[in-house]
Structures are given as structure tokens and as C-alpha cells.
Amino acid sequence: MALGLRCFRLVHPAFCSSLTALTRTVSEVTLQTVRGRQDDRGQYMAYAAVPVRHFATKKAKAKGKGQSQTRMNLNAALVEDIINLEEVDEEMKSVIEALKDNFNKTVNIRTSPGSLDNITVVTADGKLALNQIGQISMKSPQLILVNMASFPECTAAAIKAIRESGMNLNPEVEGTLIRVPIPKVTREHREMLVKLAKQNTNKAKDSLRKVRTNAINKVKKSKDKASEDTIRLIEKQISQMADDTVAELDRHLAVKTKELLG
């Protein structure tokens, strides 16, 4: 009995200290020694601490999902020998400007002569803008005229292009004069314009995708100039720039849709 009590006195402090170690993080208990009671010979007993791994709780994971990923902000000057990020940025911005210009010219409640200017006409000499082969004017608030006297051979092609422009126009021809009645502003007409705006936005995203792909392909060809980590960071930066541009295109579409539907 006396021997048992003596052993318990030796073990008890270490047992308590081990329980304390279990509540600490791994970094705090990598390897510690726990001081025990001094035995009869004046020596101390040493015990290794037990490392414990702490796992994230469901609540912590859910909180992490709501946080945005770290944004890239590479210094363009430091990677200019691999790719000119400023030029890539300008190309992406030009996609936005092209969409805004498209919206202003072709996606409006009230059709104007300027709306027909850039309609593409397929001719024997290639693709030409309508205002390059025809004289466009406003006859009245309800009628636009396109005079094809300078290029009469392109009249049929111009009519086809106007009809297929997606602007809900039904042109009529009198010799070399094309009459384009302006459609009434109905709910159906507004919804048709919204559909056209979405189509144009999708085309803009296709153009943006090409810019992104070309830029990343250029970076991949420069693997001999930089480490894999650097290449990966540049690709991430380009993808981030493209994502920001997509968000801007969607914002312009939302504004235009609200304007069209009233």
C-alpha cells in the first residue's frame, strides 16, 4: 500500500501536466519536458509533451467562405521583360469602350440615323459600314432614308444588313432609295433591345476572352525567363484583370437594361 502511494506521488504531477499540454496548440507543445517530483535520489523525472492537432470547425469554415480571395497587385515594371501588363490592361479597356459605343449607337429606344452608321454590309469588295456606301438622313421622326445612288449595286446587300441588324427594322426599297420606318416604342420593342444588348455584351466577353488567352499564352512562352511561381503569379494577375473587366461589362449591361425597360 505504501509503495503504491509513493508511485502515485511520482506520476500524478506529470499526468496533470500532460493534460494541460493537450489543450495547447502544436506550436506550443512541439517538445517540452515536464518537471516531476524529486525522488529519493534527488533526480527529476522527464516526460515528453503530447502534440495535438486542432481542426477547423464548420463554423470557422463557413466564415472563411465569405471572405474574398487576396487580390494580386504585381508591379508591371518588374515583369515587363515577360509581358507588358499595361498593354493588356489597355486592350481590356478597349473592349469596354467598344461595348459602350455599341450601346450608344445601336441599342436605343429611339432609332436615329447614327444607329445605322456602323451596320456591316457584306459587299463584293468586302465588309463595309453602311455609312461608307450610302447617305443616311432623317426624313421625319418616324422615317430614316438611305440613299444608295453612289453604290447602287450594294442596295440589296444593304437592305439585308439592315434587316438582320437585330434592331427590329424592316426596310423598304424604291430604286436606289431605302426607306427605314422607325418602330414604335412598345414593350416588345424594349425587350428586343434588351436581348440585343445581352448579345452584344456576350460578344464583348468573347473578345475579352481572346485578349486574356493571348496574354497568358505569351506568358507561358517565357518560362525560360522566370520561375514557375513568377509565371503563375502573372497568370493570376491577368485572370484577375479579366474578371474585373467582366464585372464592368455586366455593370454597363445592367445600366442599359434598366434604361431600356424604364
Side-chain angles (χ1 to χ4, degrees), residues 13-183:
F15 178 72
C16 294
S17 298
S18 296
L19 287 178
T20 302
L22 288 172
T23 63
R24 300 176 185 170
T25 61
V26 177
S27 61
E28 294 173 336
V29 296
T30 51
L31 186 62
Q32 301 176 9
T33 57
V34 181
R35 187 174 182 180
R37 265 178 174 263
Q38 191 174 12
D39 64 9
D40 293 342
R41 288 175 291 184
Q43 296 178 345
Y44 289 91
M45 304 293 291
Y47 303 87
V50 180
V52 180
R53 182 176 180 181
H54 294 266
F55 293 91
T57 62
K58 290 183 179 180
K59 185 175 181 181
K61 288 181 180 180
K63 184 178 179 181
K65 286 183 179 179
Q67 297 176 349
S68 59
Q69 295 183 350
T70 304
R71 288 183 61 81
M72 295 295 300
N73 189 22
L74 290 180
N75 188 330
L78 297 178
V79 297
E80 61 182 0
D81 58 327
I82 299 174
I83 190 170
N84 191 325
L85 289 177
E86 292 182 354
E87 287 185 0
V88 175
D89 185 56
E90 287 300 320
E91 287 185 58
M92 291 185 178
K93 286 180 178 178
S94 68
V95 173
I96 297 175
E97 292 304 317
L99 181 66
K100 290 166 62 177
D101 186 60
N102 177 275
F103 280 174
N104 291 332
K105 291 181 177 179
T106 65
V107 190
N108 291 298
I109 295 296
R110 296 290 181 182
T111 304
S112 65
S115 302
L116 278 63
D117 284 348
N118 295 305
I119 290 179
T120 302
V121 182
V122 180
T123 70
D125 297 323
K127 295 181 179 180
L128 299 172
L130 182 59
N131 62 356
Q132 291 181 303
I133 57 177
Q135 184 178 356
I136 305 171
S137 61
M138 196 81 173
K139 175 70 174 178
S140 70
Q142 291 78 35
L143 182 66
I144 296 175
L145 298 179
V146 182
N147 192 332
M148 300 294 297
S150 299
F151 295 89
E153 68 280 7
C154 297
T155 302
I159 292 174
K160 184 175 184 293
I162 294 171
R163 187 173 288 118
E164 296 177 355
S165 65
M167 298 170 64
N168 196 30
L169 301 175
N170 294 301
E172 303 167 355
V173 62
E174 294 180 1
T176 57
L177 185 65
I178 302 174
R179 301 165 60 87
V180 186
I182 298 175

Side-chain angles (χ1 to χ4, degrees), residues 210-257:
K210 291 178 181 178
V211 173
R212 176 186 176 278
T213 300
N214 291 338
I216 289 182
N217 286 340
K218 184 176 181 179
V219 171
K220 288 181 177 179
K221 291 179 181 178
S222 303
K223 289 184 177 180
D224 57 329
K225 298 181 181 179
S227 66
E228 291 184 4
D229 287 342
T230 300
I231 296 297
R232 188 159 49 249
L233 288 175
I234 298 174
E235 290 178 355
K236 187 176 181 180
Q237 176 74 62
I238 293 171
S239 294
Q240 178 180 286
M241 292 163 61
D243 291 342
D244 291 343
T245 305
V246 168
E248 186 70 8
L249 293 174
D250 287 337
R251 187 184 70 80
H252 285 293
L253 175 61
V255 172
K256 194 64 180 181
T257 298

